[in-house]
């Protein structure tokens, strides 16, 4: 175990500006000088997490600085400027225990390293981690996921914040795995949307990856998606596509993908003729989807959206469509039940 004095010095890591364009022409729309995304592209922010943990998060495609911020926010929200009254009253200050994060039901785990980050915010003294499984693993009820030895007060203070995130992300991963398993053997993949919890998008999309799904765009600036309201505003599918392509070229981002949402086979033809990279088939039946696949003949990537459920997922996948867009992965998945069981720390 290590004391605060023995812990490694914080490291500097690049800040990943989620959704910020990598480059833009002068005069392009932006947040203004006061926004972090307007800073120097080489600017780095100090990460206070253990360097080894920060590296694991980065390897998983997560920004350690963002994870640390979320961890601080979770703890600060729970303490609300005070302290854990019940724990301070009932637990001796020098007590040390081991907390086992244990699955109460079977599922796919996600967010273990994030739970570690949350606990690291409150652990003021001894802090030792034993990792039993990894994110993306299928676990059984009663299985230990992670064991943390620290001051008992610290464990209890950080327990709920760590579990809230771990249960949430594991629920998303578990739901995603159910879809991915149904699509096994087809060319289709289940993919998420931007229907995420504010502030937790990167984490929730990470959970989708842990469950075997793939991510759609992370932000409005990653790619263009021409939806029905854009089509109405522009006066048609072809007009909307042309306007987006011209704007992206003017902004210096001509290579961004352009996806067009359609709700008729006629609009599929329009989108193909316009040169769309991806076409979102909104509320098509499986039969209509199969016809759209025939029309596209590989000229564009096709994504089904709407009317999708586990009961009909296989029927859509077997049409030859490339993606099934499922917003419910991140906005409606039930948590995976995980608990923290305390036991006496071993010497």
């Amino acid at each position: 175990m290590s004391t605060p004095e023995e812990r490694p010095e914080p490291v500097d890591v690049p800040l990943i500006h989620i959704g910020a364009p990598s480059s833009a022409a002068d005069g392009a729309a932006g947040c203004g000088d006061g926004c972090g995304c307007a800073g120097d592209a080489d600017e780095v922010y100090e990460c206070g997490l253990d360097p080894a943990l920060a590296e694991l998060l980065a390897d998983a495609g997560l920004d350690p600085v963002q994870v640390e911020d979320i961890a601080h926010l979770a703890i600060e929200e729970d303490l609300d400027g005070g302290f854990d009254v019940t724990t301070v009253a009932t637990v001796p200050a020098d007590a040390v225990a081991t907390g086992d994060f244990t699955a109460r039901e079977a599922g796919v785990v996600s967010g273990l390293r994030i739970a570690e980050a949350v606990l690291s915010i409150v652990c003021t003294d001894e802090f030792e981690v034993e990792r039993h499984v990894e994110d993306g693993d299928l676990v059984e009820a009663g299985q230990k996921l992670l064991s943390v030895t620290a001051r008992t007060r610290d464990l209890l203070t950080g327990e709920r914040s760590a579990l809230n995130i771990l249960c949430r992300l594991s629920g998303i991963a578990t739901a995603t795995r159910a879809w991915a398993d149904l699509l096994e053997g087809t060319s289709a993949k289940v993919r998420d949307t931007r229907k995420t919890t504010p502030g937790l998008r990167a984490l929730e999309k990470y959970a989708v990856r842990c469950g075997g799904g793939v991510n759609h765009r992370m932000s409005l600036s990653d790619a263009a998606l021409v939806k029905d309201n854009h089509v109405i505003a522009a006066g048609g599918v072809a007009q909307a596509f042309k306007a987006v392509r011209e704007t992206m070229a003017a902004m210096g981002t001509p290579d961004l993908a352009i996806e067009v949402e359609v709700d008729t086979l006629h609009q599929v033809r329009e989108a193909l003729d316009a040169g769309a990279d991806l076409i979102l088939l909104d509320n098509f039946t499986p039969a209509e989807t199969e016809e759209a696949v025939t029309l596209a003949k590989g000229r564009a990537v096709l994504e089904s959206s709407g009317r999708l459920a586990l009961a009909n997922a296989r029927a859509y996948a077997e049409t030859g469509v490339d993606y099934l867009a499922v917003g419910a992965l991140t906005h409606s998945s039930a948590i995976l039940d995980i608990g923290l069981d305390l036991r006496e720390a071993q010497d």
Side-chain angles (χ1 to χ4, degrees):
M1 298 182 189
S2 62
T3 65
E5 292 76 23
E6 297 170 334
R7 291 180 189 169
E9 290 295 319
V11 295
D12 287 345
V13 297
L15 177 64
I16 303 170
H17 295 299
I18 300 299
S22 57
S23 62
D26 290 340
C31 306
D33 294 339
C35 178
C37 68
D40 187 337
D42 296 325
E43 186 175 8
V44 293
Y45 291 76
E46 186 178 83
C47 178
L49 298 178
D50 179 86
L53 177 57
E55 184 175 356
L56 287 173
L57 291 167
D59 288 345
L62 295 169
D63 175 5
V65 173
Q66 185 183 35
V67 171
E68 184 183 22
D69 286 346
I70 291 170
H72 273 289
L73 182 62
I75 294 298
E76 289 165 6
E77 179 181 56
D78 219 16
L79 290 177
D80 195 23
F83 60 92
D84 183 350
V85 177
T86 312
T87 294
V88 169
T90 59
V91 179
D94 59 352
V96 175
T98 296
D100 296 316
F101 286 86
T102 304
R104 305 286 194 237
E105 59 183 327
V108 177
V109 67
S110 177
L112 289 168
R113 303 296 83 80
I114 300 161
E116 286 183 38
V118 172
L119 289 175
S120 74
I121 300 303
V122 295
C123 284
T124 56
D125 196 357
E126 298 173 334
F127 181 40
E128 185 177 85
V129 173
E130 184 180 1
R131 296 162 180 157
H132 305 293
V133 300
E134 293 298 329
D135 284 351
D137 286 352
L138 180 63
V139 299
E140 300 298 329
Q143 187 170 350
K144 289 182 184 179
L145 313 178
L146 177 73
S147 297
V148 180
T149 301
R151 285 179 51 185
T152 310
R153 284 185 175 184
D154 296 339
L155 284 173
L156 293 177
T157 296
E159 172 186 7
R160 178 42 51 198
S161 295
L163 283 173
N164 282 347
I165 294 176
L166 182 58
C167 293
R168 169 73 176 152
L169 299 189
S170 296
I172 291 171
T174 300
T176 303
R177 174 50 59 192
W179 284 84
D181 286 347
L182 276 174
L183 305 186
E184 189 72 31
T186 73
S187 60
K189 295 187 180 299
V190 63
R191 145 157 121 165
D192 54 29
T193 70
R194 286 172 33 253
K195 296 174 183 177
T196 54
T197 307
L200 297 182
R201 177 171 296 170
L203 305 191
E204 292 178 347
K205 282 180 172 280
Y206 166 69
V208 168
R209 299 197 299 274
C210 288
V214 296
N215 297 145
H216 199 286
R217 57 182 181 165
M218 292 293 294
S219 71
L220 291 170
S221 63
D222 287 349
L225 174 51
V226 179
K227 295 180 71 65
D228 52 358
N229 287 331
H230 301 117
V231 171
I232 293 171
V237 170
Q239 295 93 322
F241 180 86
K242 180 181 178 183
V244 171
R245 183 164 58 183
E246 289 177 349
T247 299
M248 292 198 312
M251 294 180 64
T253 56
D255 296 328
L256 286 182
I258 305 177
E259 184 170 9
V260 178
E261 179 185 87
V262 301
D263 52 26
T264 67
L265 289 168
H266 173 70
Q267 288 183 330
V268 172
R269 296 184 183 92
E270 283 189 280
L272 289 168
D273 291 342
D277 302 296
L278 301 95
I279 299 176
L280 179 67
L281 309 174
D282 186 40
N283 285 306
F284 277 43
T285 65
E288 291 168 334
T289 302
E290 189 170 7
E291 191 170 349
V293 170
T294 301
L295 283 173
K297 295 179 180 177
R299 293 163 59 191
V301 173
L302 300 183
E303 180 172 26
S304 290
S305 178
R307 299 192 183 197
L308 301 177
L310 287 172
N312 62 22
R314 186 77 186 189
Y316 276 94
E318 289 177 345
T319 66
V321 73
D322 299 284
Y323 295 109
L324 273 61
V326 182
L329 296 179
T330 52
H331 72 61
S332 296
S333 292
I335 66 162
L336 184 69
D337 190 5
I338 299 171
L340 180 69
D341 301 321
L342 285 187
R343 57 185 169 90
E344 185 176 345
Q346 301 297 314
D347 293 332

